Amino acid sequence: MGHGVRELVLELNGRTWALDPARSYTLGRDPQGDLVLEDARVSWRHATIGWDGRSWVIEDHGSTNGTYAEGRRIHRMELGPGSAVHVGNANDGPRINLSGPVGTPAARPAAQASYPSQESYEQQYDYQPQPLQQHESHPPYESHQQHGIPQPYAPQQSSPSYERSPQQPGTGPVPAERGPTTFHRLSLGRVMRIGRALENELVVADLQVSRHHAEFTATPDGRFQIRDLGSHNGTYVNGRPIAASATAVIGPGDIVGVGHSTFRIVGERLEEFIDTGEITFSARHLTVTVDGGRQILRDVSFGVPEKSLVGVIGPSGSGKSTLLKALTGYRPADEGDVLYDSRSLYKQFAELRRRIGLVPQDDILHKELTVRKALRYAAELRFPGDTGQDEREARIGEVLRELKLDAHQGKKISSLSGGQRKRVSVALELLTKPSLLFLDEPTSGLDPGMDRDVMQLLRSLADDGRTVLVVTHSVAELQLCDRVLVMAPGGAVAYFGPPDEALTFFGYTTWADVFSAFENYRDYDWSGRWRGSQHYQLYAADIDAVADAARTVPPPPARRVRPPKPQSWGSQLRTLIRRYVSVIASDRGFLALMLILPAVLGVVSAVVPAAYGLTAPDDGKDEFNSDAGTILLILAIGMCFSGAANSVRELIKERVIYERERATGLSRSAYLLSKVIVLGAITALQGVVLCAIGLLPRELPAEGLLLPPAVELGVVIIALGLTSMMAGLVISSLVRTAEKTMPLLVMFAIVQIVFTGVLFKVYATPGLEQLSWLMPSRWAVAGTGATLDLGRLMPPWDRDRPGDLDPLWEHTAGQWGINLTVLLLLGAVCGVAVARLLRRHEPEVMRS
């Protein structure tokens, strides 16, 4: 052991460990931890034991039931021979015994972070207790600003399950330099390969890491290189991805990111820092300005300590949604910065995005699937392509057990209660072990009991080693939070601090009174009142002090990074197709409608009386077959409606899912193509059914232009269905709500009827003819008309000019091919339009 390092032997449950000062040891229920305790009173990640450079210490991670020495709860304590610690309970919790050589310093409690005492607080702020004034929704007065400050917050143990260790007020924006989790020696010329596989020199047990991810090399000239080995999630230098299989030179000040681990060169040593969730998070002067110069988020700053639960509340129009987008990088602020453990989220979003989980207000899983199947598809899309099925299944099982969803894993998500569905959405985000978890209105629409269950779940997630920030309208369970951020109208901070002190700070007895005051006094300077208070000095002043020295505007190039994708394009496409087929197959109502709709439309066309079918009269009595155009019109419009109806809701109903998956590396083109392939197959099948019912009973010409007449007609009708399907996707990508799709679908079908060229003369009409070229039905009827020679089969529009024929109906193979080609080209144009429109619903940092 190195100089000054004391040997320490740990005994737990009849086993002993000789602790290595070069690393730290995690203790808890997590099967991946170093010291695993199967005891319900022990948190998932309960505590850590490690050498801090001077002594051995045990640090509690804000566990639910605590860590105890000599009968009292501790947060951090030095260890030595003879020390004894109880975990989970002061009397009968699992006991840790320490032993070692004689002469090791006796254990003593370390200085614990705590809130200031009442006496020191009163001396510092000249505080004089004031009686709480009862009143209605009056505006705040200066006396409230200066004298209405409550007793400093000390966490109260409302129930044994949610006791929390106190944190130092204002800590969190810039954490102290953490010691490395472990370190490795770099020898000259030696290649150190990093990856998940056991044959690597440096094994990283992280499913975000490829089996053979990257390698470090110490060159003869004293420099160091990092080379990506074609990893799926990428290798990052100072937050920026390096090209696959490329090499980058790194120096002492550079940070290399691989999965949840970061590496730093210190002399001839490679230090590794593993992100286990103990991170700080802060916002610095966030300001968002929209068109016209109106600020919807104004100079927002706050800092979140490690393993905290923070509630964000405020009235409508206070910028909560805008703040959430700014904090997650979905829509970076125009001014200011967001720091993830002192690293700029905006500048290093490509790397840090996988350490952040986001649960939107709407469910981010397909409700038609079972819980496990939905998580299985999500794991395939988020984990590297070389992750084995057994590895993915093991992680899914861990998350289901952690969230107590294992009993519901075989149920459809649609059959679960609102609270259980929200747990499933959280489970999806926990698959990749995020350190920072955001939730947008998770309790919206839930009854009070489910509201409490969800908030207690978030409390336990924070206690187990994550930072959780929840935007909510519910104030019933705010006491479970460590901090509450109150947003005022106009997007400014009105309060940030412990929830127990918030109402007294505002001078009201209920949150309803506070929100009424916000509404009645919208022009009041709520932010100025906050910044002039002692609460601001306690909980936020240090954040602004550090941030004022470097107010930043995120540079546009940093936002436009295109991160690597965890899966190859082809692998994503296959997974998306399988998932989409599973979703459709699980919806029996949709399957039945897809079969019934073309059948009904085919029958409608079949009931049209036509003595001569789709051929010219042969009895010499009639010169024309006027019913042929009517039959083709019904078939074309029926196929138009079926194709568009298949797709018109598909993008809008999955918009929230797409937004979230796109932020985690989903390929836009793979997503769109999966829709086109599956819906295209369904539409083609519908076209076959429609043509079989509507055409086969009819008399057809003896020969076609290139193929049998029935085949030529069917090919054009199916092509019309595919193009209409693409038009439906355009509509689905344009609208903001699913309710708007039906009126647009009806309008689309009616417009197609008008421009078929069957109801009235379209050709040779300036303006009208050119407009008809944009309509799929015009080219589809023209294609079928070319096969049937419809220009001579139907009566002419002007009987005095029988030779005046629609040029698109010319009975030639070339014209039939042109009509079909233009029809498919319109569908391709719609596809390009959909791809461009999808960009509007993506995180701004993901737009190329």
Side-chain angles (χ1 to χ4, degrees):
M1 306 184 76
H3 176 70
V5 177
R6 307 275 185 176
E7 184 183 66
L8 195 65
V9 177
L10 181 147
E11 181 183 350
L12 175 64
N13 290 340
R15 297 183 58 193
T16 59
W17 288 263
L19 302 184
D20 181 0
R23 56 163 298 187
S24 60
Y25 297 81
T26 58
L27 183 150
R29 297 199 326 273
D30 186 355
Q32 305 300 318
D34 300 299
L35 307 173
V36 181
L37 289 172
E38 295 293 341
D39 191 302
R41 296 169 295 181
V42 178
S43 296
W44 191 256
R45 297 180 185 88
H46 196 102
T48 298
I49 298 175
W51 177 263
D52 67 355
R54 183 174 59 88
S55 61
W56 287 97
V57 296
I58 182 170
E59 182 174 359
D60 186 278
H61 295 322
S63 61
T64 301
N65 294 317
T67 305
Y68 300 86
E70 298 180 357
R72 62 189 182 88
R73 187 164 183 167
I74 62 166
H75 175 62
R76 178 183 172 92
M77 190 184 85
E78 292 184 2
L79 298 175
S83 299
V85 177
H86 285 277
V87 182
N89 186 280
N91 299 317
D92 60 354
R95 179 186 174 99
I96 299 174
N97 295 309
L98 288 307
S99 61
V102 178
T104 302
R108 61 180 178 83
Q112 297 190 33
S114 62
Y115 289 86
S117 66
Q118 175 71 9
E119 291 77 15
S120 63
Y121 184 90
E122 293 176 359
Q123 293 174 5
Q124 181 178 357
Y125 294 110
D126 191 23
Y127 168 70
Q128 298 296 326
Q130 300 291 325
L132 180 64
Q133 300 183 15
Q134 303 289 339
H135 40 65
E136 300 298 328
S137 298
H138 59 68
Y141 296 102
E142 294 301 318
S143 60
H144 298 153
Q145 296 184 30
Q146 301 301 327
H147 302 296
I149 306 300
Q151 177 176 332
Y153 171 70
Q156 300 297 319
Q157 186 174 350
S158 56
S159 67
S161 299
Y162 298 101
E163 181 179 352
R164 301 187 293 278
S165 300
Q167 302 285 346
Q168 182 69 28
T171 61
V174 181
E177 181 70 16
R178 292 189 176 94
T181 307
T182 185
F183 62 85
H184 315 273
R185 292 293 180 185
L186 282 174
S187 302
L188 187 63
R190 179 190 175 192
V191 175
M192 180 178 290
R193 190 170 56 181
I194 305 172
R196 205 173 68 249
L198 296 178
E199 61 264 24
N200 293 286
E201 288 78 13
L202 202 164
V203 179
V204 179
D206 182 356
L207 290 183
Q208 295 289 335
V209 178
S210 298
R211 294 183 61 80
H212 301 99
H213 196 104
E215 62 184 19
F216 282 101
T217 305
T219 60
D221 58 2
R223 297 187 304 171
F224 297 91
Q225 293 179 344
I226 178 71
R227 184 167 75 93
D228 183 85
L229 299 178
S231 64
H232 295 272
N233 283 330
T235 304
Y236 301 83
V237 176
N238 299 324
R240 307 284 295 192
I242 62 176
S245 303
T247 300
V249 178
I250 57 175
D254 295 325
I255 296 177
V256 177
V258 175
H260 284 82
S261 298
T262 53
F263 300 88
R264 183 177 64 181
I265 301 292
V266 179
E268 296 181 354
R269 190 171 72 175
L270 180 66
E271 295 185 343
E272 179 182 3
F273 301 80
I274 300 178
D275 186 346
T276 59
E278 299 175 6
I279 59 99
T280 57
F281 182 76
S282 63
R284 304 285 180 82
H285 294 301
L286 299 183
T287 299
V288 174
T289 306
V290 295
D291 296 338
R294 183 172 65 92
Q295 291 184 341
I296 56 177
L297 201 66
R298 180 161 49 91
D299 199 17
V300 174
S301 297
F302 64 95
V304 181
E306 300 175 359
K307 298 176 297 184
S308 297
L309 175 59
V310 179
V312 180
I313 62 173
S316 299
S318 59
K320 299 189 299 297
S321 297
T322 303
L323 175 63
L324 188 64
K325 292 179 180 179
L327 294 176
T328 56
Y330 268 48
R331 197 290 189 190
D334 300 307
E335 297 180 25
D337 205 356
V338 176
L339 299 186
Y340 176 102
D341 225 20
S342 301
R343 301 173 64 186
S344 172
L345 176 65
Y346 294 161
K347 295 178 181 178
Q348 303 185 25
F349 181 80
E351 177 186 355
L352 298 179
R353 64 184 176 133
R354 292 189 178 88
R355 305 187 191 184
I356 296 176
L358 173 62
V359 180
Q361 182 174 346
D362 297 323
D363 293 326
I364 52 178
L365 288 166
H366 294 87
K367 299 178 182 179
E368 300 85 356
L369 301 178
T370 64
V371 173
R372 179 170 279 275
K373 183 175 287 189
L375 293 179
R376 185 176 294 146
Y377 285 125
E380 288 186 32
L381 290 172
R382 296 197 180 193
F383 288 139
D386 61 2
T387 306
Q389 181 179 354
D390 55 340
E391 293 177 294
R392 293 195 299 267
E393 292 294 334
R395 180 57 190 155
I396 292 172
E398 290 175 10
V399 172
L400 290 174
R401 288 190 295 272
E402 182 178 0
L403 297 182
K404 297 178 176 61
L405 286 170
D406 44 340
H408 306 287
Q409 59 182 314
K411 299 179 181 177
K412 283 189 176 182
I413 297 175
S414 59
S415 68
L416 301 178
S417 65
Q420 290 170 340
R421 286 201 303 271
K422 193 58 62 177
R423 283 178 178 263
V424 177
S425 294
V426 173
L428 168 61
E429 293 302 312
L430 293 187
L431 286 175
T432 53
K433 297 185 178 181
S435 301
L436 188 60
L437 185 63
F438 292 92
L439 299 100
D440 186 12
E441 300 286 354
T443 60
S444 178
L446 302 183
D447 60 53
M450 290 184 179
D451 181 355
R452 179 181 58 193
D453 290 343
V454 171
M455 291 300 293
Q456 288 178 345
L457 167 66
L458 302 183
R459 177 69 259 169
S460 64
L461 292 176
D463 289 338
D464 281 340
R466 303 174 185 90
T467 298
V468 182
L469 189 145
V470 52
V471 176
T472 179
H473 280 297
S474 174
V475 297
E477 304 296 333
L478 284 180
Q479 72 276 5
L480 294 176
C481 298
D482 298 293
R483 297 285 190 273
V484 61
L485 175 68
V486 183
M487 299 295 292
V493 177
Y495 173 81
F496 177 71
D500 296 353
E501 302 178 18
L503 287 176
T504 309
F505 170 82
F506 287 108
Y508 296 103
T509 56
T510 67
W511 282 107
D513 292 332
V514 175
F515 279 51
S516 295
F518 283 149
E519 180 64 27
N520 296 333
Y521 304 98
R522 300 185 69 88
D523 295 332
Y524 184 79
D525 186 9
W526 296 97
S527 178
R529 178 178 185 267
W530 155 243
R531 292 181 181 274
S533 69
Q534 283 93 345
H535 277 80
Y536 172 80
Q537 297 299 325
L538 275 175
Y539 304 113
D542 58 342
I543 302 168
D544 282 342
V546 175
D548 284 335
R551 295 182 69 132
T552 61
V553 177
R559 298 184 185 179
R560 301 299 192 265
V561 176
R562 180 178 295 181
K565 296 178 175 61
Q567 298 278 340
S568 66
W569 186 89
S571 178
Q572 285 194 8
L573 178 62
R574 290 190 294 272
T575 300
L576 290 168
I577 289 175
R578 288 191 294 107
R579 184 178 70 177
Y580 195 23
V581 170
S582 296
V583 170
I584 292 177
S586 301
D587 191 344
R588 296 181 180 178
F590 182 66
L591 283 174
L593 181 62
M594 286 190 301
L595 294 176
I596 293 173
L597 181 61
V600 170
L601 294 174
V603 170
V604 169
S605 68
V607 300
V608 175
Y612 309 108
L614 295 173
T615 60
D618 57 359
D619 57 2
K621 297 180 181 179
D622 296 313
E623 186 177 355
F624 303 104
N625 183 355
S626 59
D627 295 325
T630 304
I631 296 171
L632 292 181
L633 174 65
I634 295 175
L635 289 175
I637 299 307
M639 193 69 253
C640 236
F641 187 82
S642 295
N646 288 339
S647 60
V648 75
R649 287 177 177 264
E650 290 308 299
L651 298 182
I652 181 63
K653 75 179 184 181
E654 290 187 0
R655 182 161 297 170
V656 176
I657 298 175
Y658 173 74
E659 288 178 356
R660 183 63 194 129
E661 290 184 340
R662 178 68 176 142
T664 60
L666 181 71
S667 167
R668 182 195 312 141
S669 59
Y671 174 79
L672 180 57
L673 188 57
S674 70
K675 296 289 184 186
V676 172
I677 290 175
V678 176
L679 292 175
I682 293 172
T683 302
L685 177 61
Q686 289 178 322
V688 171
V689 173
L690 180 64
C691 291
I693 297 176
L695 292 178
L696 293 183
R698 305 285 189 183
E699 183 179 354
L700 299 175
E703 295 182 356
L705 296 171
L706 294 173
L707 303 168
V711 176
E712 285 187 4
L713 295 174
V715 167
V716 174
I717 292 297
I718 291 173
L720 173 62
L722 296 176
T723 301
S724 300
M725 178 200 74
M726 298 304 299
L729 290 177
V730 172
I731 295 174
S732 191
S733 61
L734 280 172
V735 298
R736 295 186 179 275
T737 62
E739 289 74 18
K740 295 180 180 179
T741 58
M742 286 299 104
L744 291 176
L745 175 62
V746 173
M747 183 182 70
F748 172 75
I750 292 176
V751 170
Q752 299 309 307
I753 294 175
V754 173
F755 288 96
T756 54
V758 174
L759 297 179
F760 57 90
K761 182 179 178 180
V762 174
Y763 67 94
T765 306
L768 188 64
E769 181 179 17
Q770 287 71 33
L771 183 61
S772 72
W773 293 344
L774 301 176
M775 305 300 163
S777 63
R778 170 73 166 131
W779 297 98
V781 171
T784 56
T787 295
L788 300 176
D789 196 7
L790 193 60
R792 301 185 185 280
L793 195 61
M794 284 181 59
W797 300 114
D798 187 349
R799 292 183 177 269
D800 296 332
R801 302 175 60 188
D804 185 14
L805 303 177
D806 191 329
L808 300 187
W809 294 358
E810 184 180 350
H811 187 57
T812 64
Q815 187 59 52
W816 181 85
I818 291 174
N819 295 335
L820 179 61
T821 300
V822 175
L823 182 59
L824 294 175
L825 184 61
L826 287 175
V829 171
C830 288
V832 173
V834 174
R836 300 295 296 176
L837 290 170
L838 278 176
R839 295 178 69 250
R840 302 186 311 160
H841 311 296
E842 298 174 358
E844 186 173 333
V845 290
M846 296 296 295
R847 299 176 189 172
S848 56

